[in-house]
Amino acid sequence: MHLDSSVLPYLALLIAVVIFVQGGYLLISGLNGGRDKEVSRRLRGLGTPQRDAPDDPLRRKSLSAGKSPWLTSILESVSLRSFDRFISTSGIRMTTERVLFLMIVASAATFELLDIFGQYDLLICAAGGFIGAIVFPLWLISRIRRRRLAQVTAQMPDAMDMLVRSMRAGHPVATGVGLVAQEMQPPIGIEFADAFDEMSYGSDLRQALEKMAQRLGIEEINYMVAAIRIQSSTGGNLAEVLNSLSNIMREKKKLRARVKALSAEARFSGIILSVLPVFAVVILTLSNPHYYDIAQTHNNLKIILGGAAALMVIGVLLIRKFVNIRI
């Protein structure tokens, strides 16, 4: 049976589309929700996690688990370990290996789609595949991660109050951590549950909390860990220190909300200035489709337009830097 060579590009396109759709579905279905629901269901139960469950989020394997030595050296690199921490703190249920695989497959599929349907140059197809299948998913996961960490920050004062009440009732700090893991809603309940499970597996309180602080990188948790570390070495009333930290966190939250309200006009002006050039290009293209045709044959004009686009991106980043004040 002879297969016509003209059918091969369409067959490759069909396979690329199927892989791209499947990868997009797996990526979207795994974002933020499945992990929290599973842990919430487990915490509402008897408090005895099923350690043998294959999808137990508290048993997340390392990148190099069960891999060959040469692959272990690659997966244990600093960049991939940072990416693994980035994925784990975003709340995504999928493993880091699957996310990397889907991004690579989606990049190849996007490149193939642009090459076959768009008939673009090789450089444009490569840039489209990189932006559409790598930059955009990373941006999306980054937004989900920031939203999740913001929720953890907002829940920290209540978690501290619960910890203080547990200590004033005569319970040790480890028991208070377990109480926060059981009573608090995700995502902070999940993070404290991870720390409590690490203590159950043999880590002491300081090690478990320091690991949580390194994983999340939130200042409020760093303050709590520092207070516990100082109290364990020098002594003192830890409940009062944590209560003061809780009050400071609430005041900081109020101040951040006030600054956000006062800078709302500047942030809105930044959005308008960022969108205006793109809007002008779209209007010119719709009103006169051949307005930029000369750019395809004029090399100097290509350089000028590319420099203008680069300056616009730099301007957008500077505006975001000026109006997004961190406290």
Side-chain angles (χ1 to χ4, degrees):
M1 179 179 178
H2 178 68
L3 185 62
D4 190 0
S5 60
S6 62
V7 182
L8 293 178
Y10 297 98
L11 182 62
L13 174 63
L14 177 61
I15 296 174
V17 169
V18 172
I19 295 176
F20 180 76
V21 173
Q22 181 68 17
Y25 170 76
L26 290 175
L27 180 61
I28 295 174
S29 62
L31 293 180
N32 206 20
R35 183 174 184 264
D36 291 350
K37 290 179 182 178
E38 174 66 21
V39 178
S40 298
R41 183 193 62 78
R42 199 199 71 187
L43 291 178
R44 286 195 298 267
L46 298 177
T48 56
Q50 301 295 327
R51 297 296 177 188
D52 296 331
D55 294 331
D56 190 355
L58 302 180
R59 294 283 307 275
R60 186 184 181 95
K61 294 181 179 180
S62 62
L63 283 173
S64 59
K67 305 297 189 301
S68 58
W70 68 270
L71 188 57
T72 299
S73 61
I74 298 176
L75 294 177
E76 287 296 329
S77 61
V78 177
S79 57
L80 285 181
R81 281 186 296 176
S82 300
F83 184 74
D84 181 59
R85 190 182 303 113
F86 173 76
I87 295 297
S88 63
T89 54
S90 63
I92 296 177
R93 191 176 180 180
M94 288 188 299
T95 60
T96 305
E97 298 94 321
R98 179 177 293 184
V99 174
L100 286 172
F101 175 75
L102 291 178
M103 289 171 62
I104 294 173
V105 171
S107 178
T110 305
F111 177 88
E112 190 71 19
L113 290 174
L114 292 175
D115 185 31
I116 294 178
F117 281 110
Q119 299 294 328
Y120 294 109
D121 295 336
L122 181 63
L123 183 60
I124 296 178
C125 294
F130 179 77
I131 295 174
I134 296 180
V135 175
F136 178 74
L138 288 178
W139 172 80
L140 181 61
I141 296 173
S142 178
R143 284 185 61 88
I144 294 174
R145 181 178 181 271
R146 286 198 302 268
R147 187 179 297 113
R148 185 173 186 270
L149 294 183
Q151 293 177 355
V152 173
T153 303
Q155 291 177 310
M156 272 301 297
D158 295 333
M160 297 278 283
D161 290 341
M162 186 174 296
L163 191 60
V164 169
R165 289 195 297 268
S166 175
M167 294 177 61
R168 287 176 175 174
H171 299 148
V173 181
T175 303
V177 172
L179 182 64
V180 173
Q182 292 180 2
E183 299 297 332
M184 293 293 295
Q185 294 294 323
I188 197 169
I190 297 174
E191 299 299 333
F192 273 84
D194 290 345
F196 187 74
D197 275 31
E198 289 180 8
M199 288 186 288
S200 301
Y201 280 108
S203 299
D204 59 16
L205 175 66
R206 289 178 53 185
Q207 291 177 347
L209 293 181
E210 287 176 359
K211 187 175 180 180
M212 181 177 67
Q214 293 176 359
R215 182 172 64 250
L216 296 177
I218 299 177
E219 293 181 352
E220 284 75 5
I221 296 181
N222 292 333
Y223 297 153
M224 181 188 69
V225 173
I228 294 175
R229 186 190 304 116
I230 294 173
Q231 190 272 341
S232 62
S233 59
T234 62
N237 193 340
L238 182 59
E240 293 298 329
V241 175
L242 296 181
N243 187 41
S244 300
L245 280 177
S246 175
N247 295 331
I248 293 174
M249 291 178 189
R250 285 193 169 88
E251 294 298 325
K252 183 179 179 179
K253 182 179 178 181
K254 293 179 182 178
L255 180 60
R256 185 183 291 114
R258 187 178 305 170
V259 171
K260 187 176 181 180
L262 292 175
S263 63
E265 182 180 357
R267 288 186 287 109
F268 185 75
S269 299
I271 294 175
I272 296 297
L273 292 175
S274 301
V275 175
L276 188 59
V278 180
F279 180 76
V281 171
V282 171
I283 292 298
L284 286 174
T285 305
L286 293 177
S287 60
N288 188 2
H290 303 286
Y291 187 82
Y292 291 102
D293 287 350
I294 192 175
Q296 299 179 3
T297 58
H298 202 289
N299 293 328
N300 293 332
L301 185 56
K302 284 184 179 180
I303 297 175
I304 293 174
L305 292 177
L311 290 176
M312 188 184 71
V313 172
I314 294 174
V316 170
L317 295 177
L318 289 177
I319 290 174
R320 287 178 57 87
K321 182 68 175 179
F322 292 151
V323 301
N324 292 334
I325 303 174
R326 292 185 59 85
I327 300 177

